[in-house]
Amino acid sequence: MSSQSQQLYSQLPAIDRLLRHDAITPYVTQYGQTLISDLLRQMQAEARDAIKHQEQLPAWSQDWPKELQHRLDKQQQSALRPVLNLTGTVLHTNLGRALLAQPAVDAVVQAMQCNVTLEYDLQGAGRGHRDRAVADLLCQLTGAEDACIVNNNAAAVLLMLAAVAAGQQVVVSRGELVEIGGAFRIPDVMRQAGCQLIEVGTTNRTHLADYRTAVAEQTALLMKVHTSNYRIEGFTAAVDETELAALGRELGVITATDLGSGSLIDMTQYGLPAEPMPQRLIAAGIDLVTFSGDKLLGGPQVGIIVGKKALIARLQQHPLKRALRVGKITLAALEATLRLYQQPELLQQQLPTLRQLTRAPEQMQQLAQQLQQQLEPQFGDRFVLAGEACWSQIGSGSLPADRLPSHALTFTPRDGRGATLMALTQQWHQLARPVIGRIADGKLWLDLRCLESAEQLLEALKG
Ligand SMILES: *Cc1c(COP(=O)(O)O)cnc(C)c1O
């Protein structure tokens, strides 16, 4: 070992001494000795490595307490960091979809802190059924006879298929064999549930006669899947739910629809694209309907199955239900969200998803102007800031072509370089509350639809 290295090793402070350092003892008090010693040992090992391989101390070793604080900050940072979603996609799956309404947040906090009557019937003091309270609400809201709640809509489809059609055939139109993002493909789910998929019709046209011809001894289910994220246009034909339900009744075969998003309110009354409503399919006579809790419904991540009492009972009793069931926290959030639908007049104000989707473009335009002025001093030398009209998307498997007029604050690099744009994006991803926009046409777009206030962005950009 060179004398240079020897000299550097001798400069390394001992862990004991560091633990007693005035600038480090407060961390020991706050985080405990175990965590702090571990970090210091890690730092020391790195410093030894640097001496061994580079014959020098790492740059940070000038100030151990500062480096310790830096590492603590990084370590304590949650892997689920709150971000500002300025992507323009309201229900962004990778950013956690719907934000909960305040009453749902309150219900969640209470359910986390208290024991609750999850499966406990106060009247009979016996064992209740954990979906009971929300099932009753769902029956009121959809006209269904009963309901079942599982982890997400993918689980809802899986459970439904396994419980009513395992070992049997399920008839689906070739135009509806969809793939939803994240490896949810209808044919794969069928296989997992132990069902045999019988494809009928063609990609663009499927008729009632196609379903009728396919029904055989082993047919358990006629199933429709809402093709939410694409549209087949031109020479097309599909069978509507009323006809399919009638055929199912005539032939004694169960009918089901995977709605995906589904909305309990008529979206067109807010000027939004029409979205199928579970209650209309129940009224049309479909036996089982599945949809998501955290898409247009604006609630927690769940899968909801509504339908006929006897069929829901089969789902509730299936062993998979035990594996796919949700906990009290989720049920509390769902119940509070569903209660909001009992007061439809207040919904637009109370439900964040609906509030964001129906935000007036003029309001976002004003916000863009205000932010442009406030951010120009900070960014104006490197970027041209502008308020520009843009289009938001609903997201979560809704049709990408269904776009909502919105307004963005855009940043165009004065040097015209993509690298400058990437650097800005990267910098904003490293903020304590990362700001996430989207890059298009050589600019960074901050779609202001989901921004609550100018302060929210200004605050985030500070650190
Ligand atoms: C979104 C969607 C699913 C999956 O729902 P998750 O709640 O994400 O599991 C399944 N089917 C359709 C038609 C969908 O749109």
Side-chain angles (χ1 to χ4, degrees):
M1 191 191 311
S2 71
S3 63
Q4 157 93 352
S5 302
Q6 232 156 17
Q7 206 247 332
L8 288 174
Y9 280 122
S10 70
Q11 281 177 28
L12 288 179
I15 302 284
D16 282 0
R17 226 188 73 218
L18 284 168
L19 285 170
R20 289 192 306 272
H21 191 297
D22 278 351
I24 288 180
T25 48
Y27 296 127
V28 178
T29 312
Q30 189 179 348
Y31 296 102
Q33 180 152 338
T34 310
L35 179 70
I36 302 302
S37 317
D38 281 353
L39 277 175
L40 290 173
R41 262 195 290 275
Q42 223 177 63
M43 287 160 65
Q44 203 165 46
E46 281 175 34
R48 283 179 185 284
D49 250 20
I51 299 170
K52 186 170 165 193
H53 299 295
Q54 290 134 39
E55 291 224 336
Q56 58 178 13
L57 286 165
W60 55 257
S61 67
Q62 301 296 321
D63 192 341
W64 284 68
K66 190 169 158 217
E67 176 65 13
L68 178 66
Q69 182 187 0
H70 175 69
R71 289 180 186 220
L72 274 168
D73 287 348
K74 229 163 91 180
Q75 195 181 61
Q76 299 296 313
Q77 205 167 53
S78 169
L80 291 176
R81 279 168 63 197
V83 302
L84 286 183
N85 171 16
L86 306 185
T87 60
T89 300
V90 175
L91 295 169
H92 199 299
T93 298
N94 298 355
L95 297 178
R97 292 191 186 162
L99 306 187
L100 292 185
Q102 193 56 47
V105 174
D106 297 342
V108 163
V109 171
Q110 179 163 298
M112 287 191 289
Q113 293 174 329
C114 305
N115 284 117
V116 297
T117 51
L118 179 61
E119 295 186 356
Y120 193 90
D121 176 7
L122 290 173
Q123 265 77 44
R127 203 171 136 89
H129 161 339
R130 72 167 52 199
D131 298 343
R132 193 68 270 149
V134 290
D136 289 346
L137 272 169
L138 281 162
C139 292
Q140 279 174 34
L141 292 167
T142 65
E145 292 173 7
D146 206 351
C148 175
I149 310 300
V150 286
N151 181 55
N152 55 22
N153 187 44
V157 175
L158 179 68
L159 174 62
M160 175 178 80
L161 290 171
V164 307
Q168 292 174 279
Q169 294 178 344
V170 180
V171 181
V172 184
S173 159
R174 287 196 171 88
E176 298 176 2
L177 294 172
V178 308
E179 173 180 307
I180 312 295
F184 176 91
R185 291 173 154 196
I186 288 291
D188 296 341
V189 180
M190 293 272 173
R191 220 173 353 255
Q192 281 302 318
C195 308
Q196 187 190 352
L197 169 64
I198 303 293
E199 302 177 16
V200 296
T202 60
T203 303
N204 58 330
R205 289 173 73 83
T206 301
H207 308 280
L208 195 62
D210 296 323
Y211 288 98
R212 185 186 286 279
T213 315
V215 171
E217 186 74 37
Q218 315 89 305
T219 309
L221 189 64
L222 302 175
M223 182 172 168
K224 276 187 73 71
V225 183
H226 180 52
T227 57
S228 50
N229 54 2
Y230 67 97
R231 186 178 283 162
I232 297 173
E233 281 177 356
F235 185 57
T236 65
V239 173
D240 80 22
E241 264 87 358
T242 311
E243 290 177 282
L244 193 70
L247 181 68
R249 275 194 304 275
E250 181 195 326
L251 302 176
V253 179
I254 301 165
T255 52
T257 298
D258 169 15
L259 258 195
S261 193
S263 173
L264 292 173
I265 45 170
D266 181 355
M267 285 289 162
T268 60
Q269 69 182 299
Y270 302 103
L272 294 169
E275 183 69 30
M277 298 161 71
Q279 55 267 53
R280 296 213 176 136
L281 301 195
I282 293 294
I286 294 291
D287 295 316
L288 292 167
V289 179
T290 78
F291 55 105
S292 288
D294 56 352
K295 292 185 179 173
L296 283 175
L297 187 77
Q301 179 194 299
V302 291
I304 298 170
I305 309 144
V306 294
K308 295 274 158 58
K309 203 171 196 66
L311 294 174
I312 295 289
R314 277 165 72 182
L315 269 60
Q316 290 286 2
Q317 285 151 17
H318 194 277
L320 261 183
K321 170 67 201 315
R322 179 64 175 73
L324 301 175
R325 74 182 189 185
V326 299
K328 62 172 180 171
I329 297 168
T330 303
L331 283 170
L334 180 59
E335 183 186 5
T337 305
L338 290 173
R339 283 199 192 289
L340 298 177
Y341 282 87
Q342 292 178 313
Q343 306 155 18
E345 301 81 7
L346 306 184
L347 214 50
Q348 194 175 6
Q349 178 195 331
Q350 294 194 320
L351 203 66
T353 301
L354 193 57
R355 200 166 61 223
Q356 292 171 340
L357 289 174
T358 57
R359 204 157 182 207
E362 303 79 58
Q363 202 193 347
M364 295 178 269
Q365 186 172 9
Q366 260 179 19
L367 202 53
Q369 275 166 6
Q370 186 187 346
L371 282 164
Q372 183 191 348
Q373 281 170 13
Q374 282 167 302
L375 292 173
E376 209 124 52
Q378 197 183 338
F379 296 97
D381 57 334
R382 286 174 297 148
F383 298 92
V384 179
L385 277 64
E388 292 190 63
C390 66
W391 297 96
S392 312
Q393 292 186 14
I394 297 173
S396 275
S398 60
L399 202 65
D402 279 340
R403 300 189 304 170
L404 313 175
S406 184
H407 233 83
L409 179 63
T410 60
F411 292 72
T412 311
R414 292 194 184 275
D415 63 12
R417 293 179 55 209
T420 311
L421 215 47
M422 285 309 291
L424 184 68
T425 310
Q426 287 303 321
Q427 186 191 336
W428 286 356
H429 286 181
Q430 301 312 315
L431 294 167
R433 183 163 189 183
V435 172
I436 305 184
R438 67 164 188 265
I439 291 179
D441 305 327
K443 316 173 188 187
L444 179 61
W445 298 72
L446 299 184
D447 186 321
L448 301 176
R449 177 173 294 278
C450 299
L451 187 69
E452 292 286 335
S453 64
E455 288 67 41
Q456 210 185 19
L457 179 60
L458 296 172
E459 195 55 40
L461 292 178
K462 271 187 202 151

